[in-house]
Amino acid sequence: MLSAFLQMGKNLKTVSPFRFSSFLRLEEDPVLALRLFQNPNPSSPKPFRHSALSYDLIISKLARAKLFPDMEQILLQMKQQRHRFVPKESLFCHVISSYGRSRMPGPALHTFDQIPSFGSLRTIRSLNSLLSALLACREFEKIREFYLDLDQYAVPDACTYNILINACCLNKSLCDAWNMFDEMRRRGIQPNVITFGTLISALCANSMLDEAFRLKEDMIRVFHVKPNVFIYTSLIKGLCQMNELDLAFKLKDEMLSDETVALDSAVYSTLISGLFKVGRKGEIVGILEEMRGNGCKPNTVSYNALIAGFCGEKEFDSAFAVLDVMREEGCKPDVFSYNVIIAGLCKEARLRDACDLFEDMPRRGCFPDVVSYRTLFDGLCNGKEFKEAAQTLDEMLFKGHKPRAVSVQKFVEGLCKEGIVELLGSVLNSLMKGNAIDIDTWKMVIGIVCHKSELLKTCAVVDSLRMA
């Protein structure tokens, strides 16, 4: 798209802001879009006057790509054009949300504070964007500060209270969540399905099923709000956790009787996990058949529930068979699929099989993540396969992943107790290079070596580190 635009620029003396915006919209590469924006009309000596739409487009593209320094430069440039146009509040909402997704609460707050300086008005929409960004960053105290001065910024709406209720639930303050719900009603703000879904999910997560079902009845009878699939899934999951499978199936049947609620794979995946948990795996075939009959094709989450269930039953051949079925049906296993099997194999001390699957993951089109490395490393350490554990540790650190501190201590302690000095020196050196060793581990090494009075081994470790 950039080359086409440059070619057009050779044939035309000038490009209109409207046509330029069209080219900018079509350019998918944010870096090329930025180059296009910075040099819109190279054949003309006159400065190009970007439209409000052009600024909106480039800032949105850079925000999505997390190119925040470049985005901030364009924002500053746009600010100098406030005598020509006033940016829409929605643009700042997009920027704030992008910072929230990137776990950058400071810049999100700064953007919100700067909105008036662009000549734009701050309404409840930008406040809600900020509260949502702060929630993504788990900035509960900052959210509370805004709540205490809520009316200073805007008149809150249902979205505002949904975010506040969710923050209370995530902060394990169910009492505060209920207070928010009551305050919402006192203000005359009608709760919606998201409000009830958030509260019911939190109640189920805290094993307060009686309260969750009462709230479900109230939302229908008092507030005339119908449950959605998320609410049903939360209730079914809560019932399965309490081993109330019969009630869970009744609730699933209630969903089937409501034509406005479509069952999804999450419901069936939850039921599959529940059946494994209570030893009723013989019913799973029927669940899968019903699932397909209702037009709900099994997906990765569904198959992962099967894999986890079979691994829990130590039926690894069945778990591997699920991987084969997934490939045959065009459903690609994800890293969780493999991690569950690797964890199960390690737990049963089938370390060779775990290593083989781990090494085979790239060939299968799925690369190990930090959980894969940590799981295999811990399994090898528990099995006292120190040489293989050291190789896995080196690869893990090379990939930029870090082992758990407790795993490092356990591994180093094992090397010290076994007196494997040469490998210990190499491991300590790797941990130092990867910045993955803490002072407690060093104290443990020195303490164990000195306690045994193995001066030669101490010197050997030091020499090994010096040579590395």
Side-chain angles (χ1 to χ4, degrees):
M1 182 53 61
L2 178 61
S3 59
F5 177 80
L6 292 176
Q7 183 62 41
M8 185 191 73
K10 293 178 180 179
N11 300 327
L12 297 175
K13 291 185 177 180
T14 59
V15 179
S16 70
F18 175 79
R19 194 165 189 186
F20 175 78
S21 297
S22 299
F23 275 93
L24 193 62
R25 188 193 302 276
L26 292 172
E27 180 54 69
E28 296 180 358
D29 188 325
V31 176
L32 294 180
L34 179 60
R35 286 174 55 191
L36 196 63
F37 184 88
Q38 291 172 332
N39 194 20
N41 204 0
S43 62
S44 174
K46 296 180 180 179
F48 189 83
R49 291 165 66 87
H50 286 291
S51 65
L53 178 58
S54 294
Y55 278 106
D56 194 304
L57 288 169
I58 189 61
I59 289 170
S60 298
K61 286 178 181 290
L62 294 173
R64 281 194 299 271
K66 299 182 180 181
L67 298 174
F68 295 122
D70 292 323
M71 183 199 71
E72 289 291 348
Q73 286 295 321
I74 302 298
L75 277 170
L76 185 61
Q77 182 178 330
M78 183 180 69
K79 193 174 186 178
Q80 297 169 355
Q81 304 296 316
R82 59 183 179 270
H83 62 284
R84 293 179 50 225
F85 58 81
V86 175
K88 294 180 180 178
E89 184 187 22
S90 59
L91 174 62
F92 299 104
C93 293
H94 186 81
V95 171
I96 291 169
S97 297
S98 296
Y99 277 130
R101 287 190 294 271
S102 298
R103 305 297 186 266
M104 299 171 67
L109 282 163
H110 177 73
T111 301
F112 179 76
D113 291 337
Q114 289 294 306
I115 292 176
S117 67
F118 286 82
S120 300
L121 291 176
R122 286 189 309 202
T123 69
I124 192 60
R125 186 175 180 183
S126 55
L127 177 61
N128 288 343
S129 296
L130 177 63
L131 291 174
S132 184
L134 293 174
L135 180 61
C137 300
R138 300 299 187 264
E139 292 282 345
F140 298 117
E141 189 55 40
K142 186 61 69 173
I143 291 174
R144 176 175 170 76
E145 291 177 15
F146 275 93
Y147 163 71
L148 294 175
D149 291 326
L150 203 55
D151 293 322
Q152 172 187 331
Y153 297 98
V155 178
D157 59 10
C159 180
T160 311
Y161 276 98
N162 287 342
I163 297 169
L164 294 172
I165 289 171
N166 196 12
C168 293
C169 293
L170 290 175
N171 201 27
K172 303 186 184 304
S173 302
L174 266 178
C175 183
D176 290 338
W178 280 114
N179 290 337
M180 289 289 179
F181 181 69
D182 292 338
E183 180 181 315
M184 181 181 189
R185 295 167 62 191
R186 286 196 303 272
R187 282 178 173 259
I189 301 173
Q190 176 73 8
N192 56 28
V193 70
I194 296 175
T195 315
F196 292 108
T198 302
L199 287 168
I200 288 173
S201 176
L203 290 169
C204 291
N206 286 274
S207 302
M208 300 170 67
L209 292 182
D210 290 340
E211 292 86 344
F213 275 95
R214 279 199 296 270
L215 184 57
K216 171 181 172 284
E217 294 304 316
D218 285 344
M219 72 179 285
I220 298 171
R221 179 176 52 85
V222 178
F223 297 94
H224 309 293
V225 177
K226 295 188 68 173
N228 61 6
V229 66
F230 174 75
I231 290 175
Y232 276 112
T233 304
S234 297
L235 291 167
I236 289 172
K237 185 177 181 180
L239 289 169
C240 289
Q241 288 174 342
M242 302 295 290
N243 296 335
E244 296 284 355
L245 265 294
D246 291 337
L247 291 176
F249 275 94
K250 286 183 179 179
L251 202 58
K252 182 262 297 179
D253 292 337
E254 180 182 319
M255 292 182 70
L256 283 172
S257 66
D258 189 343
E259 295 181 356
T260 64
V261 179
L263 270 78
D264 63 7
S265 59
V267 174
Y268 286 106
S269 301
T270 302
L271 290 172
I272 289 170
S273 298
L275 288 170
F276 271 114
K277 184 180 177 183
V278 298
R280 291 166 55 180
K281 64 181 180 181
E283 300 175 40
I284 290 174
V285 174
I287 284 291
L288 291 172
E289 291 176 352
E290 178 188 311
M291 186 176 182
R292 291 188 174 92
N294 289 325
C296 187
K297 186 178 179 181
N299 61 8
T300 305
V301 176
S302 312
Y303 285 119
N304 283 346
L306 282 171
I307 290 171
F310 284 128
C311 288
E313 297 284 321
K314 304 177 186 178
E315 297 181 14
F316 296 106
D317 289 342
S318 296
F320 279 104
V322 174
L323 292 179
D324 295 335
V325 170
M326 291 176 73
R327 284 193 294 271
E328 290 171 4
E329 297 191 357
C331 183
K332 185 179 179 181
D334 61 12
V335 70
F336 181 84
S337 312
Y338 294 101
N339 287 348
V340 170
I341 300 178
I342 291 171
L345 291 170
C346 288
K347 186 177 180 180
E348 295 303 308
R350 293 177 55 175
L351 299 177
R352 184 67 265 158
D353 292 333
C355 290
D356 289 345
L357 180 58
F358 178 87
E359 293 169 1
D360 200 36
M361 283 176 67
R363 186 187 65 80
R364 293 170 177 257
C366 185
F367 292 89
D369 64 0
V370 62
V371 177
S372 313
Y373 279 102
R374 287 177 173 179
T375 302
L376 184 62
F377 177 68
D378 289 352
L380 292 169
C381 289
N382 291 334
K384 294 187 178 182
E385 298 288 346
F386 296 122
K387 184 176 179 181
E388 289 79 1
Q391 292 173 349
T392 302
L393 177 65
D394 282 340
E395 185 177 338
M396 186 188 332
L397 294 171
F398 178 77
K399 296 287 186 180
H401 304 312
K402 287 188 178 182
R404 287 182 283 262
V406 65
S407 300
V408 170
Q409 291 185 10
K410 186 174 182 179
F411 180 41
V412 172
E413 183 180 15
L415 292 174
C416 289
K417 288 183 177 180
E418 295 293 327
I420 310 176
V421 181
E422 184 176 351
L423 185 57
L424 173 62
S426 174
V427 166
L428 292 174
N429 183 64
S430 295
L431 290 169
M432 284 192 299
K433 288 182 178 179
N435 193 28
I437 187 168
D438 56 23
I439 188 65
D440 291 332
T441 304
W442 278 118
K443 289 179 180 178
M444 181 189 67
V445 173
I446 295 171
I448 291 175
V449 174
C450 292
H451 178 72
K452 289 187 175 183
S453 301
E454 295 178 344
L455 184 59
L456 291 176
K457 290 185 178 181
T458 304
C459 293
V461 171
V462 174
D463 289 342
S464 177
L465 291 173
R466 186 183 296 120
M467 292 295 292

